[in-house]
Structures are given as C-alpha cells and as structure tokens.
Amino acid sequence: MCVPQEVRVYNEEVELEDRDPQQDYMLYKDTCADLAKLMAEIQELKSSGAKSVEIEERHRQCSVHFITLKKLNRLAHMRLKKGRDQTHEAKQRVDVLHLQLQNLLYEVMHLQKEISKCLEFKSQHEEIELVSEEEFFQEAPAEISRPHVTRDDNHQLTLARLDWELEQRKRLAEQYKMSLARKEKIQKAIEQKREYLSSLQPGLQNIMQASLPVQEYLSMPFEQMQKQAEVARHLPPPLYVLLVQAAAYGQACDKTLSVNISGDVDEAKALSRRPEDSQEDESDSDAEEEQQNTKRRRATVGVQLEDKRKAMLRRHPLSLCVDLKCKGVIYFENVNILINFLFIFVLHLFFYYLMNLNILTVKTKVSTATDLSGAVSAGELLNSESLLNCLYASDHGKETPNPANRYQFDKVGITTFADYVSDLGHPYVWVQKLGGLQFSSDGAQVALSASHMEKTMKLLRGRLQARLALHKQFSSLEHSIIPVSSECQHLFPAKVVSGLTRWTMMSYQEFTELGFVQHVLKAGLVCETDLFFMAVVERGTARLLAAVVLNPRYPEVMPLFSLSLHWKGERSGRTEDNLRAMESEVNVFRAELQGPRPGLQLLTNQIQRLCVCLDVYLETESQVCDGSEGPREFPREKMCLRTARGPSRLKPFKYNHPQGFFSHR
C-alpha cells in the first residue's frame, strides 16, 4: 500500500512576504558586481587564449547570476503591484471616510438651519399688544394671573396674559354690540327728522320752478348763476380769471358765447380745503396706519417713476368749457352754377389746469349743423389736434411755456411735453394769457387776461370761419369746380378754357420729395404744421402741376404755389422765366386776389388766376415749326397788347377789367 506523499508547491508570492526588500537590494548589488567581475574574467581568458573549460565554467556562473537578477526583477514587480493595490485600497478607505464626513457636515448644516428656524419662529401672539405685566397682576383675577406659578415661569405668564386679553376682548365685544344698538336708535331718529325735512323740499322746488319764467323773461337766471358761482369758488386762480373774463366778454360783446364749469366738485372741494385741516387729517390717518401696521414690514419706500409722472401731470378736477357759436352763408358762383352754403357750427374749447406745472391747456371740438364729410382733402381742416395751431404766429402749442417745467421734467424723465399733448391738451401761449399766466415778466392777472380776451375770441371765430369756408371750397375743388363768388368775377375774363382736373391732399414727406419745390424748402418757407395739396390744371396736352402750401393762419398768410408744366418737356419756375412770372401772379398780388374781407375767397381766386395764366401762356407761345402767331393746338382767345416783352420774352399775365385785355406789369 502506497503512502501519499506531501506535495509542496513553490509560490513566489508566499516567499515575497518573508523576504526583506533591503536584503534583496543588497543581493541585487552584489549579483551585479559579481556578474561584472565574471564578465571581466571571461574577457581576460579569451584575450589570453585560456582553455574553454574555464570559460564555460564562468558562463555557467554568469547564467546563475542572470537567473538571480530575473528573480529579483519579478519580486520587484510583484512588490510594486502589491504596493499599488495597497495604495488603492487606502484611497478607497479615505474616499469612504470623506463621503461620510460630507454627509455628517450636511446633516449638521440641516440641523443648524432647523435650529435657526425654530429660534426665529414668531408666533402670532407676538403681534398682539398685551397689557404690561404690572397691569396684568393688578387687574387680572387670581384664577387667571396665578402669581405663584407665572412669576417664575415665562411660558405660563404668556399663556395667562393671553387668557386675560381674550377675556377683555369678549367684554369689549359686548360693549360694541350695545353701542351699535344705541347707534341704530339714533339713526332711526335722524331718518325721521330727515324725512320731515325732505317733505318740505317739493314745496320749495315748486316755488323755485314757479319763479323760473320770471327769471327767463327778465333775462336774470339767478339760480343758474348762483350754482355756477358756488362751484367757481373751488376753481384754481387761472381758470377763475378765465371764467370771469369770458363771461364778461360774452355779456358785453358776444351774446352767443357761453361758459360752463364741469368736473368733480367734491374732489375740488377736497383740494381747496385749508392746509391746517388737511395736515390734521393726514396726521390722524398716519397715526391710525401706524397703529394698524405695528411690527409689520414697512412698504417699499418711494413710488414708481410712472406714478411720479402721472402725479406731476395731474389736472385739476374742474375744467371750463367755452362754447363759441358761429353762423353765416357763403355764396359761390361759377359760370351758371350758384352754390349757397348755410353753416351753423359751435367751437367747444375745453380748458384744463395742470396743478403741479402751473400751466393751462386747451382741447377743441367742432360740432356743425350740416354734414361736412364730403371733401376728402378737407380731413385735416377741422382736426382738433391742429385746428388752433399758429393762432398767433409761431405758437404751435407743443411745448410748455413755463421755464420751470423743464427742471421738473428732468426729475421724472420726461423728454418733451409734446408726447402728452394728445391727452392733456395744447399749452398755447395765448391760453396762458387768457388765464392771467405770464412767465416772461410780472403783471396783473386780470389785466393780462382782459387785454387778450377780445383779440383771441376774434381770432378763434376767424379761424373757424376760414376752415369751414375751405371745407366747402374743397368739396367743389374735388369735383373739378372752382367756386368763384360774384364779388370776384371781375378779376377774371368771361371765358377760361383751362380747368382744374384734380385736387388732392398730400403729406409733408410727399411734398419734400417733389423736385420743383426744393427752392421753397431751402428758403425755409414751409413748416411741418402747414397743410399741403396738389392741384392739376389741364388744357389739351398741357398739364400744369401746382404744389400748394396752406399756412394754418390762412387767409392772413397767403397760400404758396410752386409750378411745374408738362408740355413739350418738363418746365418749372426755376428753369423758365414765364413760369416764375406765373408763380408771382398767384403768390404776390394779394390785394387783387383777396376779394371781400376777410378774404375767404383767396385760395379759389388764386387757382382761377392760375388757370387764366395757363391760357395766356399756351395761346401766346410762339410757333416753332412754321412761325405762325400761335400754336395750332391752342387758338388765340385772349386779347393781348403784346405777346412778349424784354430779353426773357415775358408774357402778359395781368388782366385789365373792364377793358378785357392782358398786359405786362
């Protein structure tokens, strides 16, 4: 029977644990030294020609040393791998410990936050104003105060004080109910007395109504005047001055002018209260608010910029409405057509006072008894935004006339007042003067308003009459009819062949794009506030374009015509002397074309003269081809003393009545 033998396996990893690295290092050095020595001996033996046996012996020794070096190399690599594994395990242990540390720190931070929340927690009872501890122990009964417990325990003391507060509030609630019951009884008594007084009112009203016919018959509306005088007490000084002066002017010079006060009277009364009363009310309201908002977070300091602007541009709650009534008849006669226009219209002027800016503004509205929607080109004539532009020269009403407002605007970021004109109204200079406001020099308010009232009312009436006359004239011009009144027929020959074919309105941008008006723009004769129109006059193949600039102050300022003729090429007043002479005929001689005062026929007379001048120009133009007296297309119908004069060959555009011939100027 065989006995099993113990099998022993060589394992370098086991041997590595028992070996000392320092000893392996010394063995490595000794082996390298021995190997170098053997190599040197082999070199000497080979060089001396020794026997191969000795050399082989040393080769074997060298092989043994190489085996030793390989083993040491393996052990070194194994030792390095083992060190790396140990380092990795140590790093993993450190990472685990670091993660545990972070978790613990996060838990600590979370617990600290919870502790802070608990410490900062404010109970609702802290907002309740409790009586002091001394009053509590003096007034509260012993079953609630419990001095033997509450004096040493703050928590129990707070609970006891809250119980005492609850008891007091219950008692006060009962008193409140009793007070309400007494209040209802008193209110019932007041209502009974009020009903008795109300029963007297119908009788008093009947007496007042019975006296109204007497007041109307005697033209003494005492009741209306009394109500208006009562409300007028709350007007700001500028509006009050305007009210007094407008009423005085209407009573003395214009019976159709009426003045009314509109707005919130109660709000105006609140504004006109004495400063002492308002300060007391404000102090009382502030004290109540402070009591209600104790221990509450204060509201945000200041207001938004937009709120500041609204407060600065705030209007007084009361305003004035001045109604200016006009009526009249305009007769337009052209050839065999007689057109009669009867118009009745009312100009409503709404005056407002901006309290913080200390200026007056005005808004307008025109109401007519007839339909004025026929003329397309007349759309801007009665526009409330531009109706009163330049009532006085250079007064556009876009900027505030008060120099102090510029500094006020800078504080709230307002660039220009023109952005708010559509909502607040126009601050014309003449409006300030009507209210007695003058910012250039000191002066009496009443005297200043009185000196401008009559002139301004006449200008307003003239502006409306001129705009309505233009409105009616444009209705005819759009139908290619030039309305010429019978008073102005002598200014033109009986037969005018050239005729108006188109009359349209255009914008300022469209006007500036025209080539034959550039000299007018460079001369500064045109403003954006003017009205611009295009008139086309034709005869045969000749077509005359006329760009018309209508100043808001028409007929005080004469319309300006710029001409361009399309016939055998294009010509304008800048390139031909005769066209420049035609422009002079319609632009310069105002006295001849104005007609009866106030000159409402000026524009139509200018257009009619333009047609006459075109006839003279075409009929007297020399025949280029055969040298005949006039072109075949336009036979001679106008009698002229001379067809041309001077080096520039100017034509006779002046019409002589009653002889009926044309001559040079």
Side-chain angles (χ1 to χ4, degrees):
M1 183 176 180
C2 297
V3 179
Q5 298 181 355
E6 182 180 358
V7 180
R8 301 180 65 185
V9 180
Y10 174 73
N11 190 348
E12 286 186 348
E13 295 181 357
V14 177
E15 182 183 359
L16 180 65
E17 296 177 358
D18 299 333
R19 294 177 69 94
D20 185 12
Q22 188 65 29
Q23 292 179 358
D24 289 345
Y25 177 68
M26 297 305 297
L27 178 60
Y28 167 74
K29 291 180 66 177
D30 294 341
T31 303
C32 290
D34 292 342
L35 187 59
K37 183 179 179 182
L38 289 174
M39 290 295 181
E41 291 178 356
I42 292 173
Q43 180 67 23
E44 291 178 358
L45 290 174
K46 285 185 178 181
S47 60
S48 63
K51 294 180 181 181
S52 59
V53 177
E54 297 179 358
I55 296 173
E56 289 295 331
E57 179 64 24
R58 286 173 173 76
H59 280 172
R60 285 193 296 273
Q61 293 178 5
C62 287
S63 300
V64 173
H65 287 308
F66 275 118
I67 293 172
T68 302
L69 289 177
K70 287 184 177 182
K71 181 177 181 181
L72 291 175
N73 183 48
R74 288 195 305 273
L75 293 175
H77 281 288
M78 294 174 62
R79 194 174 282 116
L80 177 62
K81 181 178 180 301
K82 183 177 180 182
R84 288 178 176 174
D85 293 341
Q86 291 176 353
T87 302
H88 182 67
E89 292 176 0
K91 287 177 65 178
Q92 286 184 339
R93 289 196 299 273
V94 170
D95 292 340
V96 172
L97 293 176
H98 185 267
L99 181 61
Q100 293 177 355
L101 176 62
Q102 294 295 328
N103 292 336
L104 291 175
L105 291 176
Y106 178 77
E107 291 181 3
V108 169
M109 182 177 64
H110 177 70
L111 293 175
Q112 288 178 347
K113 288 183 179 180
E114 293 297 327
I115 292 171
S116 300
K117 289 181 180 179
C118 294
L119 293 176
E120 294 176 358
F121 174 76
K122 293 185 179 180
S123 177
Q124 192 173 9
H125 78 278
E126 295 181 1
E127 299 180 0
I128 302 175
E129 292 186 3
L130 303 177
V131 297
S132 63
E133 295 183 7
E134 292 78 7
E135 294 180 3
F136 169 70
F137 285 114
Q138 291 177 2
E139 300 176 359
E143 59 271 11
I144 294 179
S145 61
R146 295 177 296 166
H148 60 283
V149 178
T150 57
R151 289 188 183 275
D152 299 329
D153 191 343
N154 290 332
H155 178 63
Q156 294 297 328
L157 176 61
T158 302
L159 294 177
R161 293 174 68 187
L162 290 173
D163 291 338
W164 175 237
E165 183 71 21
L166 178 61
E167 291 294 331
Q168 285 184 318
R169 294 195 177 192
K170 288 181 179 179
R171 185 172 64 254
L172 292 175
E174 292 294 332
Q175 295 178 3
Y176 175 71
K177 291 181 180 178
M178 296 173 61
S179 299
L180 285 179
R182 290 197 301 270
K183 178 182 176 182
E184 291 178 357
K185 291 181 180 179
I186 296 174
Q187 284 182 343
K188 289 181 180 179
I190 292 174
E191 289 295 332
Q192 291 177 356
K193 294 180 180 179
R194 186 173 294 170
E195 290 177 359
Y196 172 73
L197 294 176
S198 299
S199 62
L200 299 177
Q201 186 174 0
L204 296 176
Q205 289 181 348
N206 292 333
I207 297 174
M208 293 297 295
Q209 291 294 331
S211 65
L212 288 179
V214 179
Q215 296 180 23
E216 294 178 359
Y217 179 77
L218 298 177
S219 299
M220 294 184 296
F222 296 113
E223 184 179 4
Q224 182 180 358
M225 293 172 60
Q226 183 179 2
K227 291 181 180 179
Q228 184 161 302
E230 181 67 24
V231 177
R233 295 172 50 194
H234 307 289
L235 285 173
L239 288 181
Y240 184 80
V241 172
L242 178 58
L243 170 68
V244 173
Q245 292 301 321
Y249 175 79
Q251 184 177 1
C253 304
D254 189 354
K255 300 297 183 181
T256 62
L257 187 143
S258 61
V259 187
N260 297 310
I261 304 175
S262 60
D264 191 345
V265 181
D266 295 334
E267 186 177 355
K269 290 180 180 179
L271 287 175
S272 61
R273 287 185 305 178
R274 292 182 302 173
E276 294 80 3
D277 297 341
S278 62
Q279 290 179 359
E280 292 177 0
D281 294 343
E282 289 179 0
S283 61
D284 295 341
S285 62
D286 292 342
E288 294 177 0
E289 185 176 357
E290 289 177 0
Q291 292 178 0
Q292 295 176 358
N293 298 333
T294 303
K295 296 183 180 180
R296 291 183 181 179
R297 183 175 298 176
R298 296 183 61 186
T300 305
V301 180
V303 294
Q304 297 294 331
L305 187 61
E306 187 64 26
D307 295 336
K308 291 183 179 180
R309 293 174 183 171
K310 292 180 180 179
M312 179 170 291
L313 300 175
R314 183 185 176 191
R315 296 191 299 205
H316 194 275
L318 294 181
S319 61
L320 288 183
C321 177
V322 178
D323 295 338
L324 187 63
K325 300 178 182 179
C326 298
K327 62 181 179 178
V329 180
I330 299 179
Y331 300 95
F332 294 140
E333 186 175 355
N334 187 21
V335 191
N336 296 324
I337 302 176
L338 179 63
I339 308 173
N340 299 338
F341 286 128
L342 173 64
F343 59 94
I344 301 175
F345 61 92
V346 181
L347 173 62
H348 306 279
L349 299 172
F350 303 96
F351 294 92
Y352 304 96
Y353 177 65
L354 305 186
M355 299 180 290
N356 293 321
L357 300 182
N358 190 29
I359 59 174
L360 288 174
T361 61
V362 63
K363 283 188 173 183
T364 61
K365 179 183 177 183
V366 178
S367 59
T368 61
T370 57
D371 185 15
L372 299 178
S373 59
V376 177
S377 59
E380 293 295 326
L381 292 178
L382 298 179
N383 187 355
S384 59
E385 293 296 325
S386 60
L387 178 61
L388 302 182
N389 281 351
C390 299
L391 188 66
Y392 288 86
S394 302
D395 190 4
H396 300 284
K398 295 296 184 182
E399 295 296 337
T400 170
N402 189 353
N405 297 156
R406 182 67 271 160
Y407 301 97
Q408 295 175 290
F409 291 163
D410 292 340
K411 293 182 180 180
V412 295
I414 296 178
T415 305
T416 174
F417 189 77
D419 299 336
Y420 303 90
V421 165
S422 58
D423 297 329
L424 301 177
H426 294 266
Y428 295 109
V429 176
W430 58 268
V431 176
Q432 317 307 318
K433 293 181 178 180
L434 290 182
L437 296 175
Q438 188 173 10
F439 304 105
S440 58
S441 61
D442 296 333
Q445 286 186 336
V446 177
L448 178 64
S449 176
S451 63
H452 286 79
M453 179 61 68
E454 183 174 1
K455 181 179 179 181
T456 301
M457 291 302 167
K458 290 181 179 179
L459 288 176
L460 289 172
R461 189 181 298 276
R463 172 64 60 88
L464 282 179
Q465 290 175 347
R467 290 298 175 91
L468 194 61
L470 286 174
H471 200 288
K472 297 299 183 181
Q473 292 170 8
F474 287 176
S475 299
S476 300
L477 294 177
E478 289 184 358
H479 292 84
S480 301
I481 300 174
I482 303 176
V484 180
S485 63
S486 57
E487 295 88 349
C488 300
Q489 286 290 344
H490 67 279
L491 299 175
F492 314 104
K495 183 177 182 182
V496 181
V497 182
S498 298
L500 179 70
T501 59
R502 186 161 63 94
W503 174 266
T504 57
M505 186 176 184
M506 58 181 174
S507 64
Y508 175 75
Q509 182 65 27
E510 294 173 341
F511 180 82
T512 57
E513 294 175 356
L514 299 176
F516 58 93
V517 300
Q518 299 305 315
H519 63 287
V520 177
L521 295 172
K522 292 179 181 179
L525 301 177
V526 178
C527 299
E528 292 188 22
T529 55
D530 296 335
L531 301 177
F532 305 94
F533 302 90
M534 176 64 74
V536 180
V537 180
E538 296 182 355
R539 179 179 177 182
T541 59
R543 188 166 181 262
L544 180 64
L545 302 180
V548 185
V549 180
L550 188 66
N551 191 281
R553 299 174 64 197
Y554 171 87
E556 182 180 350
V557 178
M558 195 171 184
L560 182 62
F561 282 69
S562 299
L563 305 180
S564 175
L565 179 61
H566 294 262
W567 180 62
K568 297 181 180 180
E570 184 176 355
R571 317 171 192 181
S572 67
R574 299 299 94 193
T575 59
E576 185 173 341
D577 294 333
N578 282 302
L579 282 180
R580 184 160 53 250
M582 290 173 62
E583 290 179 350
S584 300
E585 286 293 326
V586 295
N587 292 331
V588 175
F589 303 102
R590 176 190 178 94
E592 299 178 8
L593 298 174
Q594 182 174 358
R597 288 186 176 277
L600 301 180
Q601 306 299 311
L602 178 59
L603 177 62
T604 54
N605 291 342
Q606 285 178 291
I607 299 175
Q608 185 72 356
R609 172 164 287 188
L610 186 62
C611 295
V612 174
C613 291
L614 181 60
D615 283 346
V616 173
Y617 180 89
L618 297 176
E619 294 176 10
T620 58
E621 182 69 12
S622 61
Q623 182 68 31
V624 179
C625 298
D626 53 6
S628 60
E629 187 176 356
R632 296 175 182 175
E633 183 181 359
F634 307 110
R636 179 73 62 84
E637 296 181 356
K638 306 294 186 294
M639 183 172 60
C640 304
L641 297 182
R642 296 175 61 183
T643 58
R645 185 182 68 179
S648 57
R649 311 303 294 166
L650 292 179
K651 302 181 183 302
F653 293 116
K654 180 182 179 181
Y655 177 69
N656 295 273
H657 178 80
Q659 293 83 3
F661 63 88
F662 288 84
S663 63
H664 292 84
R665 290 192 180 272

